[in-house]
Amino acid sequence: MTWDPWRQAFLTAGAVVVGFDPSTRTWVTDADRSQGMVDLPQLKGKVVTDPASRGQAADDFGHLVHRTPGAVLEPSAVSDILQMMKYCRTHGLQVAARGQGHATFGQGQVEGGLVIDMTPLNAVEVREDTAVVEAGALWSSLAQATLAHGLTPAVFTDYLELSVGGTLSVGGVGGQTHHYGAQVDSVVELEVVTGDASLRRCSAGLRPDLFRAVLAGRGQCGIVTKATVRLLPAPARVRHYLLSYPSVAALTADQRLVVNDGRFAYVEGELGLPTGSAGWSYQLEAVAFFNGTTPPDDARLLAGLGDQLGDRQIQDMSYFDFLNRLAVGVASLKSTGEWYRPHPWWNMFLPASRTDAFVDAAIKDLTETEVGASGVVLLYPFPRARLGLPLLRMPDEETVFLFTLLRTASQGAESPQDMVEANRSLYLRAQAVGGYQYPVGSIPATPQEWRTHYGPEWAAFEAAHERYDPGGILTPGQGVFPPGP
Ligand SMILES: Cc1cc2nc3c(=O)[nH]c(=O)nc-3n(C[C@H](O)[C@H](O)[C@H](O)COP(=O)(O)OP(=O)(O)OC[C@H]3O[C@@H](n4cnc5c(N)ncnc54)[C@H](O)[C@@H]3O)c2cc1C
């Protein structure tokens, strides 16, 4: 929440919560104290009910789902989260953390309950080869803090203004995933406030059941308050290659080749919608890191690739400018208003053996009306073996592809509802070929379908949920477990 004088005036005039009245099930502010209310615990931060805070927490990047919380916690310390978890558990109130609210389908929303705004908890401490980072910190801040020490996290999402807690709750994949797995695979230790109101540390060796249920665990067992993330030496510069292909099959053949031999530091891919008389375009985006003045060996890196030679685009830039390369485009989308329109996103992992045919069929008749003026179609290759955590569900093949239709309901495009419906039917088709949802998008799914999604991991996930959130109060917007009693 940014500081806003109008909001501050409103807060002092009676929007700071002092208790909850179990008989009327209402949050009570200092202006309307009631006899039956139970006082809030002593907090370093505050719980508020002003319309701006609740309105923000009732919305996200998707603008498709709106559930209004009763109150919002602005914590000043982890102890505030712990105390309020205890309080909410006692009164059967649901709770969810909110990072940057870039989920697209209400995943971080709670009707009537408490949303925890994680943004104030954003400290970063860089150590020898790890960073200890509070969950509300942005990946852009973590990058800047570590780069000052010549270090970097191994894997970044394309957009850096996401919270550490938010991406660790889903997985966090990007162009370096083919070397280092998802962001969750670089986590050494977590500090978590679990749904039973305990502050716990966990790692692969300490409470591994909790560690494995929280990483990519969609906030079902606890709120991440701190993560220790492994760091690598940072390169100074990158050489960026944009290679063009005549078809999906030609693109994915080279994507498979380069992620399996590991010649590039970073590999992604994008499909461009037809423009004018030109049909679809297919591009592989790859990067090689370098330091000093010795540039990467182009001949070695591009050897044996089947791209269209005349269309190669190669440029050098600083490592941070590369990581932050979406910033200019995002500023432009904000200036035109596109950024603020509904975003019914579709994101699924596909098995490599079915990817070409599935993608060809999915884009065959796809037009700008169905993805929006600023819609983006992505195709990222990952070797399955790099992805080590159980709750980031993937097809069981040597290579998997993340295929996304990042739709924007632009002016003149299909309605957000039609886009969500189209997402649902494409999801069923993808599921039929062995695809798995990446749960950051806007694809309606039932609890039974989530159970199927987790397959052999369900039993451990459910056991961890029962153990660490016995009241079933956490993160109901994900729709994974039915709410508690
Ligand atoms: C423009 C854009 C680009 C993106 N690019 C990528 C990409 O390249 N790769 C990729 O993998 N993903 C990408 N994503 C998806 C993104 O990683 C997820 O949507 C992520 O969850 C958003 O982080 P957030 O801080 O906004 O989380 P929020 O939307 O605030 O929360 C998401 C979910 O996580 C829970 N949560 C948040 N913080 C915590 C916490 N501390 N503890 C427990 N649970 C928590 C919330 O309750 C909610 O259920 C992108 C999204 C956008 C909008």
Side-chain angles (χ1 to χ4, degrees), residues 61 96-103 107-108 118 135 157-159 162-163 165-167 169-170 172-173 219 222-224 339 345 438 440 475 478:
F61 189 71
R98 177 186 163 91
Q100 288 297 301
H102 280 75
Q107 287 94 333
M118 297 301 293
T157 48
D158 297 340
Y159 182 53
L162 305 169
S163 77
T167 71
S169 299
V170 293
V173 292
I223 306 286
V224 177
W339 186 255
W345 281 11
Y438 184 35
V440 301
T475 325
Q478 292 279 4

Side-chain angles (χ1 to χ4, degrees), residues 43-46 73-84 116-118 120-122 134 191 193 199 225:
L43 301 174
K44 297 192 168 99
K46 57 182 179 293
L73 168 63
E74 296 177 355
S76 289
V78 170
S79 58
D80 288 347
I81 298 179
L82 185 60
Q83 300 245 54
M84 283 308 297
I116 303 175
D117 173 3
M118 297 301 293
L121 301 184
N122 58 16
E134 288 186 328
E191 180 190 89
V193 173
L199 181 65
T225 50

Side-chain angles (χ1 to χ4, degrees), residues 392-423:
L392 183 54
R393 296 289 289 144
M394 293 279 159
D396 190 15
E397 276 197 10
E398 190 180 334
T399 309
V400 298
F401 282 86
L402 175 65
F403 178 40
T404 77
L405 302 183
L406 306 184
R407 306 182 201 254
T408 301
S410 317
Q411 196 106 43
E414 279 189 353
S415 73
Q417 293 71 23
D418 286 349
M419 290 183 175
V420 170
E421 250 174 60
N423 281 352

